[in-house]
Amino acid sequence: MHFDQILSAIDGFGKYQKILYVWICLPQILLAFHMMVSIFTGATPPFRCRETSSSPGAGNQTLLLSDAFAGNLSLSEHSTCFSSEALPLLEGDNGTERVPCGHGWVYSKEIFQSTTVTEWDLVCSKAGLNSLGSSVYMSGLLVGSVLFGAMADRYGRRFVLLLSIALQTVFGVAVAFAPNFPVYVILRFAVGTTISGVIINAFILGTEWTCTKRRMLAGILTDYTFGLGYMLLAGVAYLIRDWRKLQLAISAPGFLLIFYIRVLPQSARWLLAKDRREEAIALLRKAALVNGRVLPPAVQAEKWEFLGGSKRSHSPIDLVRTPQMRKRSVILFYIWFVNVLVYYGLSLGVSRLGTDLYLTQFVFGLVEIPARSLVLVVLPFSRRLTLSGFLAVGGLACLLMLVVPADHPNVLTGLAMVGKFGITASFAVIYVYTAEIFPTVVRQTGIGVSSMFARIGGVLAPVINMLHNHSPATPLIIFGTSPLLGAVLALALPETAERHLPDTLEDVENWDVRSAPILETLEPDEDFGPAESPSEKQELQHLDT
C-alpha cells in the first residue's frame, strides 16, 4: 500500500494537517523580517563631512546639513566625502585641493535615528563594506541550504527545523549587540544559514504530511505568510528607527516558539524511508484520531514494501547518479538559479516606484499576493505548463523593456512589475514542483542543493545590475533570456499533478510505469492512486468503507 493512499484514508488535509500548517507558517513571518531588515538597518541616509571648529560655518552644521538634504537628497561625492577646507597648491597656482573628511561625517536623522552605516561610518571609501556584508549574508543562505538540507535527510525534518529556529533566534538577538562591523557580519552570516534551514524543512514537513490533491498548499500558504511578513516589516521599521532596537524587535519573538518542541511532529514519510516503521504507524494513528478517522487495521508494518526497507544512506551524488534523476536535477537547479536571479534583479530595478522607502517596501510585499493567488488557481491543472508559462511571462516582460524609451518611466515600471509578478508566481510553483519530483530519500537534499543554486543567483543579481552603468541593455537581456530558456527546459520535466510522490530513486527511473494519473473511476473525494493489483484494489475499497 502506498503512503499517499494511507494519508487519504486518514484524511490527507484534515484538522491535524491544518494545525501543522499554522506551526509551519508562523516562522515564515520572522523569516521575511530577517531577509528584508537590512533594507532599513543598513540604509545610508544623506550625509556630509563634519567640519572642524575653525571652518567657516562649522558652528551651524546642523542647519547647513538640513538645508542640503531638503534641497537635494543626492549630494555630490565632493560635498559628502571631501572636506570643504581648501589647501593651497604650488606657489603661483590659484587652484585648491579637496581633502578627505578627517573628522567623520554628519548624518541626517529625518528618516533613521541610526543604521549600521551611521554607526560605523560605512560611507565613501568604506561604502563597499556595506555591500560586502550583504554578500556574506547571502553566502550564509547558500551554506545553510546545503548543510541543513543534508542534515534533515539524515536526522529528520523536525529536529533540524527546531534547531534552525533556535539558532536563528539566538544569532538574531546577538546581531543587535554586535560591538563592531566584523562581528556583525559574522552573526548575520550565521542567521543566513538558519534561514535556509527553516524555509526548507518547514516546507518539506508540510508537503510530506499532505495528500496528493492538497499538496500544493504546503508551498503556497507559507508563501502568503512570507509576503505578510514582508509587509509587516515596513510597519515595524516605520515605528522603530534605531537599527539595534529594530533588529531586537524582529528577533526576540522567536523565543515564543519554544513550545514547538511539544507540538511539532516528525514526518511519517521520512520515518518510513528510514525503516522506523513503528514510530511512523504511531504518528499516523495519532493523525487519524485528530482528524476523526481510524487508521485502517490492515495498515501493518509488513505492508510498507514500497520503500524497499533499504537502510542505505543517500548523498547529493544520488541527485545525478541515474539518467532520469540527473536530467531533472540539472533542469531544476537552473530554474531555481534563474528565479532568484531575476527576482532580485527586478526588485533592484523597480526601487524607484515610490519616494517613501516604507511605502515602497509595503507595495513590494503586496504585489506578491495576487501572484501567488493566481498560482492557487492554475497549479492544480498542471505543474509543468504553469511553471513554463510564468517563466515566459517574466522573461518577455524584461525583453519588452528594451524597446520602451527611457522617457516613459511609467511604462517601464509597469513592465518591470509584470516581470516581477511572473517570477514571483514561478518561484511559488518551483517549490511545490521540486518537492514532488525529488524522491523521499533525497528530497531534502535535493531542495537544499536547489536552494544553493538559487542563492548563487541572489549573489549575482546586484553584480549584473552594476553592468547598467556600462551597458543599460545588458542586465535586461540577461534577465529576459534566462527565464525564457528556463521556460523551454521546464517542458522536459515530468507532470506531477495528481501523481503520487516518488519515494526511491528507482521510482524516479520508473516514473511512467508506477505513477499513472489517479483513476477517474474513484469517488471525487478519494485520493487513492491506482492499485498495484486486483487484490490491493479490493483492500483499498474495504478500507474506504
Side-chain angles (χ1 to χ4, degrees), residues 166-180:
L167 293 177
Q168 180 186 105
T169 303
V170 171
F171 286 125
V173 170
V175 169
F177 298 96
N180 52 57

Side-chain angles (χ1 to χ4, degrees), residues 145 149 200 203-204 319 336 430-431 434-435 438 442-452:
S145 64
I200 295 171
F203 171 75
I204 293 297
L319 299 175
W336 275 76
I430 195 63
Y431 255 107
T434 302
F438 285 126
V442 292
R443 182 169 297 124
Q444 203 80 1
T445 301
I447 294 288
V449 177
S450 298
S451 183
M452 178 192 71

